[in-house]
Amino acid sequence: MVEIKNHQLSFPKLLTLGFLIVILVGTGLLMLPLATRGARAPFITALFTSTSATCVTGLSLVDTASFWSPFGQAVIAVLMEVGGLGFMTFAVMASMLIRRRMKMSTRLLAQEALNLDHLSQLKVVGLIIRLSVLIQVVGALLLWCDLGPRYGLLKGLWYSVFHAIAAFCNAGFDLFGNSLANFRQDPYLLTVVALLIIAGSFGFLVWDDLLTFRRHHQMSLHTQLALRTGAVIMVGSVIVYLITERNLHQFAGQMDGFNRFVNTVFMAITPRTAGLTTFSYTQLSAAGLAFTVLLMFIGGTPGSTAGGIKTTTVGLLALQTLATLRGRRDTTLAHRRFAQENVFRALTLVFISLVILSGAIFLLAETQPLPSHDALSLVTFEAVSAFGTTGISVGMVSQFNFLGKMILIALMFIGRVGIYTVMFSIFNAQPHRQTYRYPEERVLIG
């Protein structure tokens, strides 16, 4: 708990308020006349864009390149960076730069914001800053090798920096007007962007384990679960898309087999909450759209720039299911046993996520002007894209009314800040141990 002007605020509530403040500041900046190329941005457009950028989603009501001025685009880029790395990362960085010892409350707040188990892991903040800067600078330089000759020195450099930030922070904003559709036959650029997306969605605790592996010769259970689950999802996604889209047969007359395969791999990576695409998802098959919704719901690794319920949640529940079906008492991986608290939190997270999404989809279906065909699937896609902070759209967002846009804003906010953080803020929950337990009794399941 932290006391501010005689008001006791929990750490989850402070985190929630912090993100709200960043969003409101971004909204104010985007409403300034110099943020647009024409008329001043309406409040809902500025709020939606600020939320989408801070929550590293990428959903947009307007074309980023033509509507926002260079100042507005710079504001969006800064919001993506702050939202991707977390505003507490920058607070900790400021304390490190001025060599001032952080208060215990600040350290605990940073621990909550960065999904750390204990305070000793705060050393990862330095890694977050150094690694983020290094990856984005290298990514921007690699992109500039392609975009510089296309757009000239300054414009090509700005495009490279903006899209390096967008890719690493797993945000779907672009300055080309049609995402990366102009580069579907440019395997070099797609490879660089894909690597930036993967680097951002890894999770900084995973990076810390990988970079120190030669010294410690071991990886945490979290890292092993994240890497194994991520690898299975990645390989499985490529195989599924190759089957459902027949190696993008709809582009057979426009691209050769190799480029179609590269685009299929890219398509398997971008639903991990990245949002940058090489074609409209309205061109996907029904099976492809359904699988994309599943990938957006899963998202990336905890402690990363990605959203969703996270790969470790899915991996843990899959292992728990296998253990239950095999009649085993414990859920294990790599000769380690998972804590039951982890299993309970994973189950709670999935259940609350499904409840929130179901309610949002119901409200959108009830209140929004929808097409006569495939209405439910389109609404579901947009809702999951917002909740998973993915940013892929099937073109429905701009057609939503004020209420529909506010629902998507809420989904993006919950998806980025986190289910537990938002719920604990609302209910003002505090962890405590009961001094008693009720008698145990079994019920029928299944």
Side-chain angles (χ1 to χ4, degrees):
M1 297 286 288
V2 177
E3 185 173 333
I4 300 179
K5 294 185 177 180
N6 298 323
H7 292 284
Q8 293 285 339
L9 295 178
S10 63
F11 295 126
K13 188 169 290 186
L14 278 174
L15 284 177
T16 304
L17 290 175
F19 268 99
L20 281 174
I21 291 171
V22 173
I23 289 172
L24 291 177
V25 170
T27 301
L29 292 174
L30 291 176
M31 290 183 69
L32 295 175
L34 73 161
T36 60
R37 298 185 185 274
R40 182 180 298 182
F43 170 74
I44 188 61
T45 300
L47 177 63
F48 192 96
T49 304
S50 178
T51 304
S52 184
T54 305
C55 299
V56 288
T57 305
L59 291 176
S60 183
L61 303 177
V62 295
D63 178 61
T64 305
S66 60
F67 185 85
W68 301 108
S69 67
F71 173 80
Q73 294 170 10
V75 170
I76 292 173
V78 172
L79 290 175
M80 287 191 295
E81 196 75 73
V82 173
L85 301 184
F87 69 93
M88 277 308 301
T89 300
F90 292 93
V92 175
M93 178 184 67
S95 297
M96 293 169 61
L97 288 176
I98 62 177
R99 299 182 182 280
R100 181 178 179 181
R101 184 175 179 82
M102 290 184 293
K103 296 180 179 178
M104 179 57 68
S105 60
T106 305
R107 293 167 64 85
L108 291 171
L109 183 59
Q111 176 188 355
E112 181 83 23
L114 298 174
N115 294 317
L116 305 179
D117 288 331
H118 42 81
L119 287 175
S120 64
Q121 291 177 317
L122 272 181
K123 62 182 178 62
V124 79
V125 173
L127 172 69
I128 291 175
I129 301 301
R130 294 192 300 271
L131 193 63
S132 299
V133 171
L134 176 63
I135 292 176
Q136 290 178 84
V137 168
V138 172
L141 291 175
L142 292 175
L143 290 176
W144 184 80
C145 293
D146 190 301
L147 299 179
R150 291 175 184 261
Y151 298 100
L153 176 61
L154 294 180
K155 188 175 182 179
L157 182 60
W158 170 235
Y159 277 24
S160 301
V161 171
F162 186 93
H163 292 97
I165 294 173
F168 178 76
C169 292
N170 280 213
F173 286 95
D174 72 277
L175 300 180
F176 304 117
N178 56 359
S179 198
L180 302 181
N182 296 338
F183 305 93
R184 64 171 63 127
Q185 298 194 66
D186 188 343
Y188 170 81
L189 184 135
L190 295 183
T191 300
V192 174
V193 172
L195 291 175
L196 285 169
I197 293 171
I198 293 172
S201 65
F202 248 20
F204 295 106
L205 288 179
V206 174
W207 274 114
D208 187 37
D209 268 2
L210 292 177
L211 293 175
T212 59
F213 180 76
R214 292 184 62 183
R215 185 166 69 249
H216 298 146
H217 300 289
Q218 64 179 5
M219 291 188 292
S220 66
L221 184 60
H222 165 80
T223 296
Q224 296 193 55
L225 179 63
L227 292 178
R228 295 187 188 192
T229 306
V232 170
I233 292 175
M234 179 63 202
V235 174
S237 300
V238 174
I239 294 174
V240 170
Y241 279 129
L242 285 173
I243 294 173
T244 63
E245 309 310 312
R246 299 173 180 82
N247 198 23
L248 297 178
H249 68 284
Q250 61 266 47
F251 297 107
Q254 305 174 32
M255 295 185 288
D256 57 29
F258 173 75
N259 278 314
R260 294 204 307 274
F261 178 75
V262 171
N263 279 261
T264 301
V265 174
F266 189 82
M267 181 172 60
I269 294 172
T270 196
R272 301 283 297 280
T273 79
L276 295 169
T277 62
T278 57
F279 56 85
S280 172
Y281 271 62
T282 56
Q283 297 176 279
L284 254 63
S285 65
L289 280 176
F291 187 70
T292 302
V293 169
L294 177 61
L295 290 180
M296 293 191 298
F297 182 68
I298 294 173
T301 306
S304 71
T305 60
I309 62 171
K310 305 299 189 295
T311 54
T312 50
T313 302
V314 174
L316 176 56
L317 292 182
L319 291 173
Q320 173 66 44
T321 301
L322 290 174
T324 301
L325 293 177
R326 292 173 177 173
R328 296 178 179 174
R329 179 179 179 181
D330 297 327
T331 305
T332 61
L333 177 70
H335 307 292
R336 294 291 185 273
R337 173 169 53 90
F338 290 100
Q340 280 299 306
E341 181 185 357
N342 284 146
V343 178
F344 295 152
R345 286 179 67 90
L347 288 169
T348 305
L349 176 62
V350 172
F351 178 77
I352 297 177
S353 298
L354 291 175
V355 170
I356 291 174
L357 275 174
S358 299
I361 291 169
F362 174 80
L363 289 175
L364 290 172
E366 181 68 22
T367 62
Q368 303 307 302
L370 302 175
S372 57
H373 63 284
D374 299 329
L376 182 59
S377 61
L378 295 177
V379 166
T380 301
F381 192 96
E382 299 288 17
V384 176
S385 178
F387 177 79
T389 69
T390 306
I392 301 174
S393 176
V394 287
M396 295 293 298
V397 177
S398 59
Q399 301 176 29
F400 287 168
N401 57 30
F402 180 84
L403 177 60
K405 293 168 185 173
M406 291 303 297
I407 291 173
L408 292 185
I409 286 174
L411 287 174
M412 289 188 289
F413 184 81
I414 294 172
R416 178 62 187 97
V417 178
I419 292 289
Y420 282 110
T421 301
V422 174
M423 292 297 103
F424 287 167
S425 300
I426 294 174
F427 296 109
N428 202 28
Q430 295 297 325
H432 64 279
R433 291 185 178 274
Q434 290 182 326
T435 57
Y436 61 90
R437 299 181 73 184
Y438 291 111
E440 183 180 87
E441 187 172 344
R442 299 182 182 274
V443 298
L444 297 178
I445 299 295

